[in-house]
Amino acid sequence: MVLLRQLLGDVLRRLRVRQSRTLREVSTLARVSLGYLSEVERGQKEASSELLASICGALGVPLSQVLREVSDQFALAELQHAPVLAGDVPERERLPIAETVVPGAIGDSVFPEVNDMVAA
């Protein structure tokens, strides 16, 4: 099972390394101890939203971008462990075709305001 904190740490580390920045530099800018930042990057500590915002600020990356990348990675991890064919899913767990949501399709959001923005 993939843990959210591990994926988040991987994304943060990847961003830092891409920028050729050290843990020390980012921890100083984010005002967090070097050891704690290291533990967050290794997925050993859960970071608060305030701490994540501070780390993202130090990296010059919006928190929303980090969370989007983590979400994408999490979705891929889930797909790797999900049944591939409908025949692999027991009948009682199958959704009727009308209830099946196609990701990325207009109107697939559970938030009506998102549909309004897409339609505009």
Side-chain angles (χ1 to χ4, degrees):
M1 175 167 93
V2 176
L3 297 177
L4 185 59
R5 69 173 185 254
Q6 291 172 331
L7 291 176
L8 183 57
D10 289 343
V11 169
L12 291 172
R13 183 183 318 105
R14 216 176 4 253
L15 287 168
R16 180 181 58 78
V17 170
R18 265 191 233 142
Q19 295 177 8
S20 300
R21 313 234 343 245
T22 64
L23 269 172
R24 185 172 310 282
E25 181 183 358
V26 174
S27 70
T28 300
L29 290 171
R31 296 184 176 181
V32 62
S33 76
L34 184 120
Y36 197 83
L37 179 58
S38 175
E39 288 179 311
V40 168
E41 282 192 0
R42 288 181 282 138
Q44 296 176 335
K45 292 284 184 187
E46 295 273 353
S48 67
S49 58
E50 292 87 359
L51 180 62
L52 287 175
S54 183
I55 294 168
C56 289
L59 291 169
V61 178
L63 177 57
S64 60
Q65 178 183 332
V66 170
L67 295 176
R68 194 169 24 256
E69 191 169 335
V70 170
S71 177
D72 291 346
Q73 294 292 323
F74 202 86
L76 288 173
E78 286 180 325
L79 286 174
Q80 290 176 348
H81 298 289
V84 177
L85 302 173
D88 295 338
V89 179
E91 182 69 35
R92 67 183 180 282
E93 294 178 19
R94 292 185 198 168
L95 290 175
I97 298 297
E99 292 179 23
T100 302
V101 176
V102 178
I106 295 176
D108 69 345
S109 175
V110 294
F111 302 106
E113 60 274 13
V114 173
N115 293 337
D116 295 340
M117 289 188 305
V118 171

